[in-house]
Amino acid sequence: MDRLNGPPRLMIVSDLDFTMVDHEDPENLSLLRFNALWEAYYRHDSLLVYSTGRSPRIYKQLRNEKPLLTPDITIMSVGTEIAYGEPMSDTEQRPHKVSFFLEKPNSLEVIKALSESLEKHKLDVKIIYSHGTALDVLPKSADKGQALAYLQRRFKANGRVPLSSLVCGDSGNDAELFTVPDVFGVMVGNAQEELLQWCAENARNNPNIIHSTERCASGIIQAIGKFSFGPNVSPRDIKDWGKCRVNVLSPGYEVVKFYLLYERWRRAEVEKSDQILQNLKSSFYPLGTFVHPSGTEQPMSKCEDMMKRLYGDKQGKQYCIWLDRVSTSQIGSDAWLVKFDKWESTGEERHCCLTTVLLNTKQAEEGFTWMHIHQTWLDGMETKHRTVWFL
C-alpha cells in the first residue's frame, strides 16, 4: 500500500485455489493471461489481495509450483475447515482450525446434526460447506468478508479507499466476500454449486455480482471487462503486435510486451523476420550495457546477435516467461527506472532474475529505448546453465 501515491484505482480480492489458480490447467494459461494483464496495466496503481485458508508453508509451495503473482496483501483465514470423516493433514490444522473431509452424499445429514450439537453447547460459530468436500466451522467474527471489511475500514481511516473493488470466489467459503458493501463480485465459471445457490438466495437482484463463463483467472479478466474497470485484453492474447494499437504508453506495458515477444521468439511462435530484428535493434541503445546475472557485461548492440542465436531453441518445449512485482519510477523528464522479477520455466526447471531496466522515451515516435539492463539471480533460483546468455 505504501508504494501507491493515492487511493488504489482497483482492488482485486481473490480466493486462490480454483479461483485465481486453476489446478486443472497444466500449462497455467489462465494464470499467465491474468499475470500479463495485471503487470502491464494495473500493478502500478492498484492492489491485489489474496484471501486464502492455506497454511504459510503450503502457500509458499503453491508459489513455487505456479506462476502466481505476488500480492500486496494476504488475508489468511483463521477459522475452522472441519468435516466429519477422515482428518486432513497436519499442514491444514490451526489453533482455531480443525479439518476433516466430508463427502457430498452425507453433507446435509452431517450439517444438520453438527448445527444442532453446536447450538446445544452454545458455541458462537457458523458453518460453511465448500467444494463438496469440506465443512467449515468458523467463529462468527472470523471470515473472509469481515477480514475485507476490516481492511476497508483501515483504508478509509487513511483516506485511501479504493476507487473500485472486485471480489472473486468459487466456493461456499468465499460467500461472505460478496456481502461486503460497495464491492463488485464475480463467481468464476467453475464456481461450486453451494456458492451459486448462496448467490441465488442472497444476491439475485444485485447487478454488481456476476457468474462468469470462463474458469478461474480468465473469469476475473472477464469481470474486469464487464464492469469497465480498465483494459481487459491481456497482452498474451495479442498475436500480432504490428497490427495492434494499444492506447497505453507505459514502462510496465513495455517490459511485459518485450518479454512476451522474447518467449514467442524462443518458442518459434513468431516468424524469424528481419523486421522484428530491426525493431529490436532500434529499441536498444547501442552504447548501453547489459549485465548478465553472472556479473559479466556486454554492449546492448550485441543483443540482436544474441536473439538470432536463441531463435527456436525452446520450440516444442513447455517454456514460458512471466514478470512479477513490476515497479516503475520516473527519474527524469523522459527517463524511467523499471524493476521486476523475471521468471523463466522449462518443464520442471525454473529460475528467476531480479531485473532493473533503464528506459528513455523516444522523441520522434511512440515507444521506449532500452538504455541499460542489469540482472542478478534471486537466491536459490539460478539456472543450471549459468554461462548461457539470455535477456
Side-chain angles (χ1 to χ4, degrees):
M1 187 68 181
D2 292 340
R3 65 181 176 80
L4 302 182
N5 295 323
R9 172 166 59 112
L10 172 64
M11 179 173 70
I12 290 183
V13 182
S14 176
D15 176 50
L16 279 176
D17 296 301
F18 290 105
T19 299
M20 181 62 72
V21 179
D22 190 345
H23 295 283
E24 296 180 8
D25 179 7
E27 295 185 1
N28 301 305
L29 297 180
S30 177
L31 197 52
L32 287 167
R33 290 180 64 230
F34 180 82
N35 169 286
L37 180 75
W38 187 258
E39 298 295 345
Y41 302 125
Y42 292 96
R43 172 73 79 174
H44 67 288
D45 64 358
S46 298
L47 288 180
L48 180 63
V49 179
Y50 289 154
S51 176
T52 175
R54 280 181 173 265
S55 69
R57 186 175 72 81
I58 299 299
Y59 170 65
K60 183 178 180 181
Q61 178 181 338
L62 177 65
R63 282 188 50 80
N64 289 336
E65 295 173 352
K66 297 287 186 178
L68 193 60
L69 287 165
T70 299
D72 296 285
I73 301 170
T74 301
I75 298 173
M76 303 295 289
S77 172
V78 297
T80 302
E81 287 183 18
I82 182 171
Y84 288 0
E86 179 186 355
M88 294 183 182
S89 66
D90 290 343
T91 59
E92 296 302 322
Q93 313 301 336
R94 307 280 192 286
H96 301 282
K97 178 177 183 294
V98 182
S99 301
F100 294 84
F101 293 105
L102 175 64
E103 296 300 328
K104 191 172 182 178
N106 304 320
S107 61
L108 293 178
E109 179 181 348
V110 170
I111 290 172
K112 183 176 183 296
L114 181 58
S115 298
E116 292 173 353
S117 178
L118 292 170
E119 185 176 352
K120 179 180 178 180
H121 288 84
K122 299 182 179 179
L123 295 176
D124 192 25
V125 296
K126 58 186 174 184
I127 299 173
I128 302 174
Y129 186 55
S130 59
H131 291 290
T133 57
L135 184 64
D136 301 352
V137 178
L138 304 165
K140 287 187 177 179
S141 60
D143 62 55
K144 294 180 178 182
Q146 294 195 54
L148 176 56
Y150 169 78
L151 195 59
Q152 287 186 323
R153 290 195 296 272
R154 291 289 302 273
F155 289 151
K156 185 175 182 179
N158 294 326
R160 292 190 172 187
V161 177
L163 302 183
S164 299
S165 296
L166 174 67
V167 300
C168 318
D170 74 294
S171 68
N173 63 13
D174 302 316
E176 298 294 340
L177 288 172
F178 296 87
T179 67
V180 177
D182 303 320
V183 301
F184 295 83
V186 56
M187 300 175 289
V188 291
N190 52 294
Q192 298 291 315
E193 178 183 343
E194 70 268 5
L195 180 60
L196 299 178
Q197 182 64 32
W198 182 92
C199 282
E201 295 173 358
N202 297 278
R204 179 189 300 272
N205 298 318
N206 188 344
N208 292 335
I209 296 178
I210 65 168
H211 182 200
S212 70
T213 59
E214 298 195 46
R215 292 177 59 88
C216 298
S218 291
I220 299 175
I221 295 175
Q222 189 177 33
I224 290 173
K226 170 68 175 179
F227 295 125
S228 302
F229 292 139
N232 68 312
V233 176
S234 171
R236 279 196 172 268
D237 296 333
I238 299 174
K239 301 305 180 184
D240 189 341
W241 296 104
K243 296 180 180 179
C244 177
R245 293 291 179 266
V246 179
N247 295 324
V248 176
L249 182 62
S250 73
Y253 173 79
E254 172 72 14
V255 296
V256 169
K257 181 182 75 168
F258 172 78
Y259 280 106
L260 279 174
L261 175 61
Y262 180 71
E263 174 192 279
R264 294 170 184 176
W265 180 268
R266 296 188 68 178
R267 292 173 58 159
E269 293 178 349
V270 294
E271 182 183 357
K272 188 179 183 181
S273 68
D274 292 336
Q275 183 62 52
I276 290 178
L277 291 171
Q278 183 59 41
N279 290 343
L280 288 172
K281 184 177 181 179
S282 67
S283 295
F284 292 134
Y285 179 57
L287 299 181
T289 305
F290 171 44
V291 182
H292 187 268
S294 64
T296 53
E297 302 180 9
Q298 73 173 9
M300 296 282 284
S301 57
K302 297 291 185 181
C303 289
E304 181 184 0
D305 294 334
M306 189 192 316
M307 290 287 288
K308 288 180 180 178
R309 292 196 303 271
L310 292 174
Y311 182 80
D313 70 324
K314 299 295 186 180
Q315 188 173 15
K317 300 178 181 179
Q318 193 172 349
Y319 171 75
C320 67
I321 298 177
W322 66 96
L323 308 187
D324 186 22
R325 299 195 305 167
V326 174
S327 66
T328 63
S329 56
Q330 189 167 6
I331 58 175
S333 59
D334 61 353
W336 294 83
L337 199 64
V338 189
K339 298 181 179 181
F340 51 91
D341 298 341
K342 179 180 76 73
W343 289 87
E344 291 190 54
S345 72
T346 305
E348 297 297 319
E349 181 185 352
R350 64 169 53 188
H351 55 269
C352 180
C353 294
L354 305 177
T355 304
T356 301
V357 177
L358 176 62
L359 299 175
N360 273 17
T361 53
K362 294 181 177 180
Q363 299 299 320
E365 55 184 305
E366 290 188 352
F368 294 89
T369 299
W370 292 53
M371 308 296 292
H372 180 82
I373 304 174
H374 188 284
Q375 296 181 337
T376 57
W377 293 121
L378 185 68
D379 289 345
M381 300 305 299
E382 300 91 342
T383 179
K384 296 177 181 178
H385 312 289
R386 302 187 68 171
T387 58
V388 175
W389 278 90
F390 54 86
L391 285 170

